[in-house]
Amino acid sequence: PPSNIAQSRALHQPRSWMVVDAPAKPVRFEFKNCSYRVKVRSDGRGLGNTPACCVKTKDRYLLRNVSASVSSGEVLAVMGPSGAGKTTLLRMLALEKGPGTPYGNVTLNGHAFTRTVYTAHAASVEQEDSLWAFLTAREQLEYAVRLSRPALRSAERAAAVDELLGALGLESCQHTRAGNALVRGLSGGQRRRLSLGLGLGQEAPP
């Protein structure tokens, strides 16, 4: 099979989709012949907590030879029924470490999509919003920028937050708490956009 995809420790829960930064220069994100192999028991059942060395196993491919590409100004939708491997594919593209072995080639503008490239140009968003209910939209973005980009001066951090709020259409509700099932706050759409902003706010500075 093709060379293994670069992996790193998963930092968050499973993500539902990924955003690739689109600077003035056109970008092309591409993945070719991506496969994902796991070990299962010889009867097809999962291993659970049993080490693979203790039982008879066989290989099972959750993905096999999946390829696609997306360029600046385009949207790539990954669609399929439950169990089709959508989450597995997205975890691979986000370079998350999993129980199996990924194969294939992932590139951004022809360069290997390493952890360094991912951090500088991409962000991933969890399937479920994970927000602090009692912090406002602006406060949440401020924390994200401050924790991931500590070298920025106060004015630069404020400018970065302002840019995110404007790009995501959250300026009018920037002082509204996120809220939850018990506390009134942002709408569902606003929460989703704020989650995207938190991912974008954690990108590495240029």
Side-chain angles (χ1 to χ4, degrees), residues 146-167:
R146 179 176 296 182
L147 291 173
S148 62
R149 304 166 67 177
L152 293 182
R153 292 188 288 252
S154 178
E156 293 173 327
R157 285 198 301 267
V161 171
D162 288 338
E163 183 179 2
L164 285 170
L165 289 168

PDB file of all heavy atoms in Angstrom, residues 146-167:
ATOM      1  N   ARG A 146      -5.630  33.787  22.877  1.00  0.00           N
ATOM      2  CA  ARG A 146      -4.598  34.021  23.887  1.00  0.00           C
ATOM      3  C   ARG A 146      -3.835  32.739  24.218  1.00  0.00           C
ATOM      4  O   ARG A 146      -2.603  32.751  24.371  1.00  0.00           O
ATOM      5  CB  ARG A 146      -5.240  34.577  25.154  1.00  0.00           C
ATOM      6  CG  ARG A 146      -4.236  34.828  26.280  1.00  0.00           C
ATOM      7  CD  ARG A 146      -4.897  35.471  27.481  1.00  0.00           C
ATOM      8  NE  ARG A 146      -5.419  36.801  27.172  1.00  0.00           N
ATOM      9  CZ  ARG A 146      -6.010  37.577  28.064  1.00  0.00           C
ATOM     10  NH1 ARG A 146      -6.169  37.157  29.317  1.00  0.00           N
ATOM     11  NH2 ARG A 146      -6.450  38.770  27.726  1.00  0.00           N
ATOM     12  N   LEU A 147      -4.545  31.618  24.334  1.00  0.00           N
ATOM     13  CA  LEU A 147      -3.894  30.365  24.713  1.00  0.00           C
ATOM     14  C   LEU A 147      -3.053  29.780  23.586  1.00  0.00           C
ATOM     15  O   LEU A 147      -2.010  29.171  23.843  1.00  0.00           O
ATOM     16  CB  LEU A 147      -4.949  29.346  25.154  1.00  0.00           C
ATOM     17  CG  LEU A 147      -5.657  29.655  26.469  1.00  0.00           C
ATOM     18  CD1 LEU A 147      -6.793  28.667  26.713  1.00  0.00           C
ATOM     19  CD2 LEU A 147      -4.669  29.602  27.635  1.00  0.00           C
ATOM     20  N   SER A 148      -3.485  29.935  22.343  1.00  0.00           N
ATOM     21  CA  SER A 148      -2.765  29.318  21.230  1.00  0.00           C
ATOM     22  C   SER A 148      -1.739  30.248  20.591  1.00  0.00           C
ATOM     23  O   SER A 148      -0.849  29.792  19.882  1.00  0.00           O
ATOM     24  CB  SER A 148      -3.756  28.839  20.164  1.00  0.00           C
ATOM     25  OG  SER A 148      -4.480  29.937  19.633  1.00  0.00           O
ATOM     26  N   ARG A 149      -1.877  31.552  20.823  1.00  0.00           N
ATOM     27  CA  ARG A 149      -0.961  32.515  20.214  1.00  0.00           C
ATOM     28  C   ARG A 149      -0.490  33.520  21.262  1.00  0.00           C
ATOM     29  O   ARG A 149      -0.746  34.720  21.172  1.00  0.00           O
ATOM     30  CB  ARG A 149      -1.658  33.212  19.048  1.00  0.00           C
ATOM     31  CG  ARG A 149      -2.198  32.223  18.017  1.00  0.00           C
ATOM     32  CD  ARG A 149      -3.179  32.846  17.038  1.00  0.00           C
ATOM     33  NE  ARG A 149      -2.547  33.810  16.166  1.00  0.00           N
ATOM     34  CZ  ARG A 149      -3.187  34.440  15.181  1.00  0.00           C
ATOM     35  NH1 ARG A 149      -4.472  34.206  14.967  1.00  0.00           N
ATOM     36  NH2 ARG A 149      -2.551  35.309  14.418  1.00  0.00           N
ATOM     37  N   PRO A 150       0.234  33.048  22.280  1.00  0.00           N
ATOM     38  CA  PRO A 150       0.623  33.913  23.398  1.00  0.00           C
ATOM     39  C   PRO A 150       1.586  35.023  23.016  1.00  0.00           C
ATOM     40  O   PRO A 150       1.732  35.998  23.762  1.00  0.00           O
ATOM     41  CB  PRO A 150       1.279  32.929  24.382  1.00  0.00           C
ATOM     42  CG  PRO A 150       1.751  31.800  23.522  1.00  0.00           C
ATOM     43  CD  PRO A 150       0.730  31.667  22.442  1.00  0.00           C
ATOM     44  N   ALA A 151       2.250  34.914  21.873  1.00  0.00           N
ATOM     45  CA  ALA A 151       3.229  35.934  21.491  1.00  0.00           C
ATOM     46  C   ALA A 151       2.566  37.221  20.999  1.00  0.00           C
ATOM     47  O   ALA A 151       3.221  38.264  20.936  1.00  0.00           O
ATOM     48  CB  ALA A 151       4.151  35.381  20.399  1.00  0.00           C
ATOM     49  N   LEU A 152       1.290  37.170  20.667  1.00  0.00           N
ATOM     50  CA  LEU A 152       0.599  38.361  20.178  1.00  0.00           C
ATOM     51  C   LEU A 152       0.431  39.391  21.285  1.00  0.00           C
ATOM     52  O   LEU A 152       0.160  39.054  22.433  1.00  0.00           O
ATOM     53  CB  LEU A 152      -0.780  37.988  19.625  1.00  0.00           C
ATOM     54  CG  LEU A 152      -0.832  37.140  18.348  1.00  0.00           C
ATOM     55  CD1 LEU A 152      -2.278  36.915  17.945  1.00  0.00           C
ATOM     56  CD2 LEU A 152      -0.063  37.812  17.220  1.00  0.00           C
ATOM     57  N   ARG A 153       0.594  40.662  20.927  1.00  0.00           N
ATOM     58  CA  ARG A 153       0.348  41.739  21.882  1.00  0.00           C
ATOM     59  C   ARG A 153      -1.150  41.928  22.062  1.00  0.00           C
ATOM     60  O   ARG A 153      -1.963  41.426  21.274  1.00  0.00           O
ATOM     61  CB  ARG A 153       1.008  43.029  21.386  1.00  0.00           C
ATOM     62  CG  ARG A 153       2.536  42.983  21.397  1.00  0.00           C
ATOM     63  CD  ARG A 153       3.086  44.361  21.092  1.00  0.00           C
ATOM     64  NE  ARG A 153       2.869  44.698  19.696  1.00  0.00           N
ATOM     65  CZ  ARG A 153       3.825  44.742  18.789  1.00  0.00           C
ATOM     66  NH1 ARG A 153       5.069  44.457  19.131  1.00  0.00           N
ATOM     67  NH2 ARG A 153       3.558  45.062  17.539  1.00  0.00           N
ATOM     68  N   SER A 154      -1.531  42.658  23.093  1.00  0.00           N
ATOM     69  CA  SER A 154      -2.938  42.837  23.425  1.00  0.00           C
ATOM     70  C   SER A 154      -3.734  43.398  22.251  1.00  0.00           C
ATOM     71  O   SER A 154      -4.825  42.919  21.925  1.00  0.00           O
ATOM     72  CB  SER A 154      -3.071  43.760  24.639  1.00  0.00           C
ATOM     73  OG  SER A 154      -4.434  43.977  24.958  1.00  0.00           O
ATOM     74  N   ALA A 155      -3.188  44.421  21.588  1.00  0.00           N
ATOM     75  CA  ALA A 155      -3.882  45.033  20.452  1.00  0.00           C
ATOM     76  C   ALA A 155      -4.016  44.054  19.293  1.00  0.00           C
ATOM     77  O   ALA A 155      -5.033  44.031  18.590  1.00  0.00           O
ATOM     78  CB  ALA A 155      -3.136  46.285  19.996  1.00  0.00           C
ATOM     79  N   GLU A 156      -2.992  43.241  19.088  1.00  0.00           N
ATOM     80  CA  GLU A 156      -3.034  42.255  18.005  1.00  0.00           C
ATOM     81  C   GLU A 156      -4.067  41.172  18.296  1.00  0.00           C
ATOM     82  O   GLU A 156      -4.782  40.718  17.388  1.00  0.00           O
ATOM     83  CB  GLU A 156      -1.655  41.632  17.818  1.00  0.00           C
ATOM     84  CG  GLU A 156      -0.603  42.608  17.307  1.00  0.00           C
ATOM     85  CD  GLU A 156       0.785  42.018  17.288  1.00  0.00           C
ATOM     86  OE1 GLU A 156       1.089  41.186  18.183  1.00  0.00           O
ATOM     87  OE2 GLU A 156       1.569  42.370  16.394  1.00  0.00           O
ATOM     88  N   ARG A 157      -4.161  40.753  19.556  1.00  0.00           N
ATOM     89  CA  ARG A 157      -5.173  39.757  19.925  1.00  0.00           C
ATOM     90  C   ARG A 157      -6.570  40.314  19.710  1.00  0.00           C
ATOM     91  O   ARG A 157      -7.455  39.629  19.178  1.00  0.00           O
ATOM     92  CB  ARG A 157      -4.998  39.323  21.379  1.00  0.00           C
ATOM     93  CG  ARG A 157      -3.830  38.384  21.630  1.00  0.00           C
ATOM     94  CD  ARG A 157      -3.971  37.665  22.948  1.00  0.00           C
ATOM     95  NE  ARG A 157      -4.055  38.587  24.072  1.00  0.00           N
ATOM     96  CZ  ARG A 157      -3.016  38.985  24.778  1.00  0.00           C
ATOM     97  NH1 ARG A 157      -1.804  38.562  24.462  1.00  0.00           N
ATOM     98  NH2 ARG A 157      -3.159  39.815  25.795  1.00  0.00           N
ATOM     99  N   ALA A 158      -6.779  41.569  20.124  1.00  0.00           N
ATOM    100  CA  ALA A 158      -8.087  42.189  19.948  1.00  0.00           C
ATOM    101  C   ALA A 158      -8.447  42.284  18.471  1.00  0.00           C
ATOM    102  O   ALA A 158      -9.597  42.048  18.072  1.00  0.00           O
ATOM    103  CB  ALA A 158      -8.109  43.575  20.591  1.00  0.00           C
ATOM    104  N   ALA A 159      -7.465  42.616  17.630  1.00  0.00           N
ATOM    105  CA  ALA A 159      -7.709  42.719  16.195  1.00  0.00           C
ATOM    106  C   ALA A 159      -8.048  41.355  15.606  1.00  0.00           C
ATOM    107  O   ALA A 159      -8.932  41.240  14.736  1.00  0.00           O
ATOM    108  CB  ALA A 159      -6.480  43.301  15.500  1.00  0.00           C
ATOM    109  N   ALA A 160      -7.369  40.307  16.079  1.00  0.00           N
ATOM    110  CA  ALA A 160      -7.637  38.955  15.591  1.00  0.00           C
ATOM    111  C   ALA A 160      -9.052  38.526  15.958  1.00  0.00           C
ATOM    112  O   ALA A 160      -9.765  37.911  15.161  1.00  0.00           O
ATOM    113  CB  ALA A 160      -6.616  37.972  16.159  1.00  0.00           C
ATOM    114  N   VAL A 161      -9.478  38.850  17.181  1.00  0.00           N
ATOM    115  CA  VAL A 161     -10.827  38.507  17.628  1.00  0.00           C
ATOM    116  C   VAL A 161     -11.864  39.283  16.824  1.00  0.00           C
ATOM    117  O   VAL A 161     -12.883  38.734  16.396  1.00  0.00           O
ATOM    118  CB  VAL A 161     -10.979  38.778  19.135  1.00  0.00           C
ATOM    119  CG1 VAL A 161     -12.443  38.632  19.569  1.00  0.00           C
ATOM    120  CG2 VAL A 161     -10.102  37.822  19.935  1.00  0.00           C
ATOM    121  N   ASP A 162     -11.601  40.570  16.613  1.00  0.00           N
ATOM    122  CA  ASP A 162     -12.528  41.394  15.816  1.00  0.00           C
ATOM    123  C   ASP A 162     -12.681  40.836  14.405  1.00  0.00           C
ATOM    124  O   ASP A 162     -13.788  40.806  13.851  1.00  0.00           O
ATOM    125  CB  ASP A 162     -12.027  42.835  15.740  1.00  0.00           C
ATOM    126  CG  ASP A 162     -12.181  43.583  17.062  1.00  0.00           C
ATOM    127  OD1 ASP A 162     -13.022  43.161  17.876  1.00  0.00           O
ATOM    128  OD2 ASP A 162     -11.451  44.571  17.263  1.00  0.00           O
ATOM    129  N   GLU A 163     -11.584  40.386  13.830  1.00  0.00           N
ATOM    130  CA  GLU A 163     -11.622  39.837  12.476  1.00  0.00           C
ATOM    131  C   GLU A 163     -12.464  38.566  12.433  1.00  0.00           C
ATOM    132  O   GLU A 163     -13.266  38.365  11.509  1.00  0.00           O
ATOM    133  CB  GLU A 163     -10.200  39.539  11.994  1.00  0.00           C
ATOM    134  CG  GLU A 163     -10.137  39.023  10.565  1.00  0.00           C
ATOM    135  CD  GLU A 163      -8.712  38.768  10.111  1.00  0.00           C
ATOM    136  OE1 GLU A 163      -7.780  38.964  10.920  1.00  0.00           O
ATOM    137  OE2 GLU A 163      -8.533  38.372   8.950  1.00  0.00           O
ATOM    138  N   LEU A 164     -12.305  37.703  13.438  1.00  0.00           N
ATOM    139  CA  LEU A 164     -13.096  36.477  13.489  1.00  0.00           C
ATOM    140  C   LEU A 164     -14.573  36.772  13.666  1.00  0.00           C
ATOM    141  O   LEU A 164     -15.427  36.177  12.998  1.00  0.00           O
ATOM    142  CB  LEU A 164     -12.597  35.584  14.635  1.00  0.00           C
ATOM    143  CG  LEU A 164     -11.278  34.839  14.402  1.00  0.00           C
ATOM    144  CD1 LEU A 164     -10.794  34.207  15.697  1.00  0.00           C
ATOM    145  CD2 LEU A 164     -11.459  33.778  13.320  1.00  0.00           C
ATOM    146  N   LEU A 165     -14.890  37.686  14.562  1.00  0.00           N
ATOM    147  CA  LEU A 165     -16.293  38.040  14.793  1.00  0.00           C
ATOM    148  C   LEU A 165     -16.939  38.580  13.522  1.00  0.00           C
ATOM    149  O   LEU A 165     -18.083  38.225  13.196  1.00  0.00           O
ATOM    150  CB  LEU A 165     -16.391  39.073  15.918  1.00  0.00           C
ATOM    151  CG  LEU A 165     -16.081  38.579  17.332  1.00  0.00           C
ATOM    152  CD1 LEU A 165     -15.935  39.768  18.288  1.00  0.00           C
ATOM    153  CD2 LEU A 165     -17.179  37.639  17.829  1.00  0.00           C
ATOM    154  N   GLY A 166     -16.211  39.416  12.791  1.00  0.00           N
ATOM    155  CA  GLY A 166     -16.752  39.979  11.559  1.00  0.00           C
ATOM    156  C   GLY A 166     -16.926  38.926  10.473  1.00  0.00           C
ATOM    157  O   GLY A 166     -17.948  38.890   9.784  1.00  0.00           O
ATOM    158  N   ALA A 167     -15.919  38.063  10.322  1.00  0.00           N
ATOM    159  CA  ALA A 167     -15.970  37.050   9.272  1.00  0.00           C
ATOM    160  C   ALA A 167     -17.101  36.051   9.504  1.00  0.00           C
ATOM    161  O   ALA A 167     -17.679  35.521   8.551  1.00  0.00           O
ATOM    162  CB  ALA A 167     -14.637  36.319   9.194  1.00  0.00           C
TER     163      ALA A 167
END
